[in-house]
Amino acid sequence: MNQSIEHFVPVYNCIGKMLLLKRRFPLTQTPLKRYSSASTIYALSSAYGKCGVSVIRVSGPQTRKCLRSIIGSTTLKERFAHLKALYHPKTNEMIDKALVLWFPGPSSFTGEDCCEFQVHGSLAVISAMFDALSQIPGLRPAKPGEFTKRAFFGNKLDLTEVEGLADLIHAETEAQRKQALQQSNGSLSRLYDKWRKCLIRCAAHLEAYIDFGEDENIEDDVIFQLSKELINVQKEINAHLNDQRQGEMLRDGVRTCIIGAPNVGKSSFLNIMFQRDLAIVSPIAGTTRDPIESTLSFGGYPLRIVDTAGLRAFTNDIIEQKGIQKTKKCLEDADLVFLITDAAHFREKSSLISSNIDSYCSEYLKELDLNHEDILKNKRVILIVNKIDLMSSDEIQVLTNLPTLIGISCKDKCNMKKFMDNLENILRELCGSPSAEAPRLTHARYRVHLERCVDHIREYLEEYSPDVYPDMAISALKLRNAIKDIERITGHVSTDDILDVVFKDFCIGK
């Protein structure tokens, strides 16, 4: 034990450096700020109104006190339903006989002590329970999304899971439900966390090389190896981004615009699609002025259809001009376009261009005063020829043999079933099939941060080569920025403005 202190200096230095790296790149999933849970919150978690059972949820440090005040006991078996009489804490009057469930923290949705009262769903019972809870010191009504926000800050959910839960609450179609459920169960969270950990590992190796590469004889090969890892991550993120917006279209609905010349049957077509009179139909050209939008669940996929004003190159009608401007604006945002013409126009123009459908679409879009090249290149266009009841049987047969179009009659609903079958296949192609193994990017916010992450990785890789020695400190900063962009998606690095956007659409009680 006569060794000098100098003998242990390298060991102390190594331990200190490793602790420094751990502080720079923590692997824990702890948000930067903690949510204050000094108050205990309560809210109706089921729908408001008359129903068989209503669920009132309580979360926070005063939950045990709440149970003692309402049922006179806190000795409940965890996560079991108990039939109890509920009493008002001030008047001691019985409110209801209901099921009570007790979820002690941290094994609860929020991570705090929680309980639920499953009362009879009358407005009088709910009102009496709220009055009873308001009399207990330390309890207050919950704000919209506050239960889920506490779950986020309690590390029960990250932001992708929170947003998946919000999407699940608002899901209107079967495909939306599947995608939202997978995301709320962590499909995107696991994928993004894998990339985050890989980037942290690469950044830590680079920092180690910078800080004590010479002292510890760290080989130059470590830089080459981490570059290979970064290239693989970059490829995976780019493949995730290159999804043709399938996840976003499924979440938000496929934005579909019905366009065409005046009086070709656009409004009649919309009414048939929805099987009710959404738009006014008349033989007068230009009846529709303002866009008419509605959402339809079609084969499990959401379709947001907009009927628009008829398009033509010139009109003296000021109101019609404004309607045309709105139509062009709707068209800019569309994912799918129903381009409707009628039998007379198709008979005349298609013969001039030898029945070439692409050429016909281009010429027709030019007549409508639209940028035909941009529309045909960037949007999915379905050509629909209406009023085939005015065609001869030979003309209809020729039309049937032409690809990429469909002839219909809004008057007698001819071929509408065929169109619906084709549309379901197109929607399945546009939206894809939700898969937990290959989760889709669902929010524009994710896309922005992933693109920035890829840019930081690309800048790092472009600067480094075996013959060029860049400023390693700047390279390390770029990797840190790439990590931060991933963390902004999941909420490891959170800002109030992001949280406000995420939680603003949650209902009270969730």
Side-chain angles (χ1 to χ4, degrees):
M1 302 300 294
N2 295 325
Q3 292 174 317
S4 66
I5 191 67
E6 285 81 3
H7 177 79
F8 297 97
V9 168
V11 178
Y12 295 150
N13 286 343
C14 184
I15 293 173
K17 290 168 182 175
M18 295 308 293
L19 289 174
L20 175 64
L21 290 177
K22 186 175 181 181
R23 284 198 301 272
R24 286 179 184 170
F25 305 104
L27 284 172
T28 58
Q29 300 198 11
T30 305
L32 290 186
K33 57 183 286 191
R34 287 290 183 179
Y35 187 76
S36 173
S37 58
S39 58
T40 298
I41 57 175
Y42 63 89
L44 180 68
S45 290
S46 55
Y48 189 79
K50 294 180 181 179
C51 55
V53 176
S54 292
V55 179
I56 297 173
R57 176 184 287 175
V58 181
S59 177
Q62 302 299 321
T63 302
R64 286 181 182 271
K65 181 179 179 180
C66 168
L67 288 172
R68 189 181 303 112
S69 300
I70 299 295
I71 66 173
S73 172
T74 58
T75 58
L76 300 180
K77 190 174 181 180
E78 300 174 8
R79 289 176 288 282
F80 273 77
H82 305 267
L83 183 62
K84 295 287 184 179
L86 312 182
Y87 294 91
H88 195 287
K90 293 293 185 182
T91 65
N92 205 33
E93 183 181 355
M94 184 174 171
I95 300 172
D96 193 12
K97 200 169 186 179
L99 292 179
V100 180
L101 291 89
W102 161 239
F103 305 97
S107 301
S108 68
F109 174 70
T110 62
E112 305 172 319
D113 287 347
C114 292
C115 73
E116 287 184 1
F117 301 100
Q118 299 186 6
V119 300
H120 290 97
S122 76
L123 300 181
V125 171
I126 294 170
S127 178
M129 278 297 297
F130 281 177
D131 182 62
L133 293 170
S134 69
Q135 300 300 317
I136 303 173
L139 269 67
R140 65 167 175 82
K143 300 174 183 177
E146 192 166 4
F147 286 96
T148 307
K149 185 178 285 189
R150 291 191 178 199
F152 166 69
F153 284 109
N155 291 327
K156 294 293 183 176
L157 302 169
D158 74 2
L159 279 187
T160 63
E161 293 168 320
V162 167
E163 288 169 308
L165 181 59
D167 292 345
L168 185 60
I169 292 170
H170 293 101
E172 296 179 341
T173 72
E174 178 64 11
Q176 284 179 323
R177 180 194 66 79
K178 288 180 179 179
Q179 177 172 274
L181 181 62
Q182 290 164 5
Q183 183 173 332
S184 67
N185 285 337
S187 59
L188 277 177
S189 176
R190 289 187 290 273
L191 178 64
Y192 295 162
D193 195 53
K194 183 189 79 169
W195 293 335
R196 173 180 174 266
K197 288 178 178 177
C198 182
L199 290 172
I200 286 175
R201 186 168 58 251
C202 291
H205 287 169
L206 182 60
E207 293 278 1
Y209 184 81
I210 294 170
D211 288 349
F212 45 96
E214 295 181 359
D215 296 342
E216 305 298 332
N217 295 320
I218 296 178
E219 299 178 1
D220 292 344
D221 184 62
V222 71
I223 304 298
F224 177 72
Q225 292 300 325
L226 72 86
S227 294
K228 285 177 62 177
E229 283 197 59
L230 289 172
I231 290 172
N232 289 333
V233 171
Q234 184 184 39
K235 288 180 179 178
E236 289 183 16
I237 297 177
N238 279 328
H240 185 63
L241 287 167
N242 189 26
D243 67 342
Q244 311 303 317
R245 292 185 56 254
Q246 288 185 330
E248 292 169 78
M249 277 194 280
L250 179 54
R251 174 183 178 268
D252 300 329
V254 180
R255 295 168 297 189
T256 307
C257 195
I258 303 174
I259 64 170
N263 213 26
V264 294
K266 299 184 296 300
S267 296
S268 298
F269 177 78
L270 178 76
N271 291 342
I272 292 174
M273 288 287 292
F274 284 89
Q275 298 183 1
R276 55 195 175 98
D277 293 336
L278 284 176
I280 297 173
V281 176
S282 80
I284 302 172
T287 302
T288 302
R289 300 298 177 90
D290 279 330
I292 301 172
E293 179 174 351
S294 193
T295 301
L296 177 69
S297 174
F298 198 89
Y301 296 94
L303 196 65
R304 292 168 51 193
I305 305 180
V306 183
D307 181 28
T308 62
L311 294 168
R312 47 185 161 191
F314 179 76
T315 175
N316 288 321
D317 191 323
I318 298 177
I319 298 177
E320 187 177 3
Q321 289 175 3
K322 290 184 178 180
I324 290 173
Q325 290 173 2
K326 289 186 176 182
T327 297
K328 291 181 178 180
K329 175 60 180 174
C330 291
L331 188 57
E332 289 176 6
D333 300 328
D335 305 306
L336 179 63
V337 177
F338 294 154
L339 179 59
I340 299 185
T341 185
D342 60 19
H345 186 275
F346 184 79
R347 182 190 294 118
E348 174 189 353
K349 297 295 182 179
S350 63
S351 61
L352 299 177
I353 53 180
S354 304
S355 298
N356 185 312
I357 302 306
D358 290 338
S359 298
Y360 174 81
C361 287
S362 295
E363 290 301 316
Y364 185 35
L365 290 169
K366 285 181 185 177
E367 290 181 19
L368 302 179
D369 194 30
L370 296 172
N371 186 338
H372 65 285
E373 293 181 352
D374 179 66
I375 293 172
L376 295 175
K377 180 180 178 182
N378 298 315
K379 303 182 187 301
R380 185 68 176 266
V381 178
I382 301 177
L383 178 61
I384 301 170
V385 180
N386 187 27
K387 305 181 184 179
I388 62 171
D389 53 291
L390 301 178
M391 284 183 161
S392 67
S393 57
D394 291 338
E395 288 175 325
I396 293 175
Q397 184 60 45
V398 171
L399 197 68
T400 304
N401 294 330
L402 293 174
T404 68
L405 70 77
I406 186 166
I408 66 168
S409 171
C410 290
K411 182 179 179 181
D412 56 22
K413 300 183 181 179
C414 176
N415 274 356
M416 283 304 297
K417 185 179 185 307
K418 179 181 177 181
F419 169 78
M420 298 292 190
D421 292 339
N422 290 343
L423 178 58
E424 186 172 342
N425 293 330
I426 291 170
L427 292 176
R428 187 178 297 110
E429 181 183 336
L430 286 173
C431 296
S433 299
S435 167
E437 292 74 26
R440 298 293 186 186
L441 194 157
T442 57
H443 287 68
R445 182 176 74 84
Y446 303 171
R447 188 175 298 277
V448 169
H449 289 300
L450 287 174
E451 287 173 348
R452 290 176 182 171
C453 177
V454 168
D455 286 341
H456 292 310
I457 296 173
R458 176 182 51 77
E459 290 172 1
Y460 169 85
L461 292 172
E462 286 177 353
E463 286 186 0
Y464 175 78
S465 70
D467 302 322
V468 178
Y469 293 92
D471 187 328
M472 288 295 187
I474 295 177
S475 298
L477 178 62
K478 288 173 181 174
L479 290 189
R480 285 198 210 105
N481 288 336
I483 295 168
K484 285 180 180 177
D485 273 305
I486 292 284
E487 290 177 336
R488 286 189 176 97
I489 297 174
T490 58
H492 295 98
V493 175
S494 60
T495 58
D496 289 337
D497 57 335
I498 291 177
L499 294 180
D500 288 343
V501 169
V502 170
F503 290 102
K504 71 179 177 65
D505 291 329
F506 270 83
C507 55
I508 293 175
K510 194 56 183 171

